[in-house]
Amino acid sequence: MEPSIRLATSSVCRSCLRSARRTTAPTHVARNFSGLAYSRRRSTNLTAQSSPISPLRKSFSLFGSAQPKSADDGHSVTTNAPADGEKQKLVLHPDDLFHSYTNSPIPDMRRRAAFIRQHASCPHPDHRIAHAPSDGKAPPVESNGTQPPAHVDFECPDCGIPVYCSEQHWAEDYERHLEICDTLKQINEDDHDLRSGRFFPEFEYAGPQMDEAPVNLLNWDTLLYTRQFEAINDDRSMRQATRLLTYPVTIGSILHELSPYGVRKGDRLTPEGLKSMSALRYTLHPPKTGGGAGIKGLRPEAPPVRIFILGARAESSLPRNVWVQLSHLFPRGKFHLIFIGPESMSNRDDEFPLPPRTPTNPFGAIVEDRVWPTMKISTIVDYYHTLHKTGHFAPYDPYFDCFVMFHPGMGHPASSHEWAETVPLLLETKAPIIVTGYTQYDMERDIEWVNKTCRGEFDMLLEPGENKFRSLRWDLNDLDPQDISCGNWGVWAFRGKRYETMRKDAEEETTRST
């Protein structure tokens, strides 16, 4: 860009400038997002007794890929990212997105079909149960099926996904399949859309928010409008955009002073929750102090709010401009995001090797400073309870600390042992803990486990319910096509119980006055 043009753009609004860039050189800004290893999903136990992998540790590209790394680990990666500067070829047109997985023109989809056929079981009642279903429906005590379990092989012509072992079983159980057939077709088209090679304008995010323009956190439409995002007029593009933004916006919608969660009836925030959230909001919405860049403008500032994201997996590999949206929701707030978990560097092996553990960096933390002027990101590949016992992050302050767990699977038999030592330590901090779930059953199972493990030792801050900023895109479990869910469907929050105390002399004065 010539210097004269660069100076001229300083007086042009952001929307006009973005439109001009797309008009003049669209081929230089087109990006392919299909190679981002972004999301991880649940997987079911491969046998009725046990499974070597956690049901919440299945990892594949959010953008639909299920290319397996091996036949037995339940994980997958994508390898079709174009080289830098390579022109992306349009593979599918917007009106030609429905293809069966087996006959798809995209190799990733064909490999995914083969993976589903190899691992998923036919749900027809004539088959004996091979393993407990993962959709939250309790299996019968005794199965009336006389046929042995069989893998799926027949693709439904309406949704294009292998769902039954034969056409006969599909026809006999068609009425039950109709309950999810339309959703499976939508998943199919969304997966092909992300590999179609088109330009994705929905992944261009808005910049900083003006102080004079408050955001509206009522729902996705009002948020994107008040944040001055480019208009998204297509439902499919809306689903793709919210699948990424659900992670930072879910946190921001709870901590913001204009949060849709209040103490009024039906708004789900409890009185104890108002106390905890008010403390964080006081820090994240500081008053203007009249400070400036010069010496005379120096003012004392509060430290950044630390958000500990525990059990981090795909959220730690999200594009950083997605997490920067959290800073834009709080123009005067400062954040330090800390991803903690043994899988927090999954799908990021090619970025850089893990730093050695030294006296100055005892846990080998990867620090990404100045992701944004008000945001820093750290990643630690370790369990949180190991860090807590060393006092590495102590002391904890309810005004500056918050814990977040995205789909932790605390109540699942295959992963609950990983949290048995962590949750009691979290309660000791008295800081709020925000938890999400894939489905209502997944969320209720986590709550039941916390009630059973820490009964009487915690206060509910946010009553469980559907997340106003859940992902609008549905996901498919490759190990069980009947199991469909969406990212961050439900959200709730709790905290270690705080006991109110009263001084003895004040208590005596109260007794005398009565």
Side-chain angles (χ1 to χ4, degrees), residues 1-54:
M1 184 180 294
E2 295 296 331
S4 59
I5 300 178
R6 186 182 295 112
L7 293 175
T9 57
S10 61
S11 60
V12 181
C13 70
R14 182 172 64 252
S15 300
C16 296
L17 184 59
R18 187 182 295 119
S19 301
R21 285 204 307 267
R22 285 203 302 266
T23 304
T24 55
T27 57
H28 294 288
V29 295
R31 297 189 298 270
N32 175 26
F33 289 86
S34 61
L36 294 175
Y38 159 76
S39 173
R40 72 277 180 270
R41 283 271 290 108
R42 299 174 299 165
S43 60
T44 55
N45 290 338
L46 301 183
T47 63
Q49 292 81 10
S50 62
S51 173
I53 59 173
S54 168

Side-chain angles (χ1 to χ4, degrees), residues 87-116:
K87 185 177 179 179
Q88 178 65 21
K89 181 180 178 181
L90 185 64
V91 180
L92 297 174
H93 292 277
D95 58 350
D96 185 32
L97 294 177
F98 179 76
H99 298 271
S100 69
Y101 276 17
T102 301
N103 301 315
S104 172
I106 299 175
D108 275 351
M109 295 292 96
R110 298 195 294 270
R111 285 190 288 266
R112 188 174 189 182
F115 183 85
I116 294 175

Side-chain angles (χ1 to χ4, degrees), residues 230-436:
E230 289 292 325
I232 301 178
N233 301 318
D234 182 58
D235 289 341
R236 178 168 292 110
S237 297
M238 190 70 169
R239 293 195 294 269
Q240 312 291 23
T242 58
R243 188 62 179 92
L244 298 177
L245 291 172
T246 179
Y247 289 93
V249 176
T250 294
I251 299 174
S253 65
I254 296 175
L255 303 184
H256 203 276
E257 62 181 358
L258 301 178
S259 171
Y261 305 106
V263 293
R264 291 182 298 181
K265 185 177 181 180
D267 286 348
R268 296 167 47 191
L269 193 67
T270 65
E272 290 297 324
L274 181 61
K275 296 177 184 178
S276 289
M277 299 308 165
S278 295
L280 287 168
R281 291 168 187 172
Y282 178 82
T283 306
L284 291 172
H285 297 279
K288 292 185 178 181
T289 60
I295 296 179
K296 294 184 178 180
L298 293 178
R299 300 288 187 276
E301 295 183 357
V305 171
R306 300 186 299 181
I307 298 181
F308 299 90
I309 301 177
L310 309 184
R313 291 158 295 184
E315 57 268 22
S316 64
S317 61
L318 275 176
R320 293 314 183 224
N321 59 338
V322 176
W323 282 112
V324 167
Q325 293 300 309
L326 182 61
S327 289
H328 294 336
L329 288 176
F330 303 87
R332 296 195 301 274
K334 294 186 294 184
F335 291 95
H336 183 192
L337 303 183
I338 306 172
F339 298 106
I340 301 176
E343 298 177 71
S344 57
M345 284 297 292
S346 296
N347 300 320
R348 298 176 61 188
D349 299 334
D350 296 335
E351 293 183 15
F352 37 71
L354 292 177
R357 301 196 175 196
T358 62
T360 57
N361 189 10
F363 294 100
I366 299 172
V367 180
E368 302 170 55
D369 199 4
R370 296 296 178 178
V371 174
W372 188 253
T374 58
M375 176 175 284
K376 181 174 74 171
I377 296 179
S378 300
T379 305
I380 302 177
V381 184
D382 211 328
Y383 285 101
Y384 171 77
H385 56 257
T386 304
L387 300 168
H388 184 96
K389 292 177 181 177
T390 63
H392 185 67
F393 292 110
Y396 298 91
D397 193 325
Y399 279 81
F400 301 105
D401 296 321
C402 177
F403 296 93
V404 180
M405 294 185 286
F406 293 113
H407 323 109
M410 291 185 291
H412 198 285
S415 56
S416 59
H417 65 280
E418 298 180 358
W419 298 102
E421 192 174 356
T422 298
V423 173
L425 299 178
L426 296 180
L427 298 180
E428 293 179 2
T429 66
K430 310 302 180 184
I433 307 165
I434 301 172
V435 189
T436 68

Side-chain angles (χ1 to χ4, degrees), residues 459-474:
D459 291 321
M460 189 68 72
L461 306 183
L462 181 67
E463 296 292 341
E466 184 175 352
N467 180 12
K468 294 181 183 293
F469 292 96
R470 69 172 180 86
S471 168
L472 299 181
R473 175 183 166 175
W474 293 94

Side-chain angles (χ1 to χ4, degrees), residues 138-159:
V141 178
E142 293 183 2
S143 175
N144 296 325
T146 57
Q147 301 180 15
H151 290 302
V152 298
D153 187 60
F154 178 75
E155 281 185 335
C156 171
D158 298 325
C159 63

Side-chain angles (χ1 to χ4, degrees), residues 474-491:
W474 293 94
D475 294 319
L476 172 69
N477 186 352
D478 291 357
L479 299 183
D480 183 6
Q482 310 298 318
D483 177 24
I484 54 178
S485 59
C486 62
N488 300 324
W489 180 91
V491 64

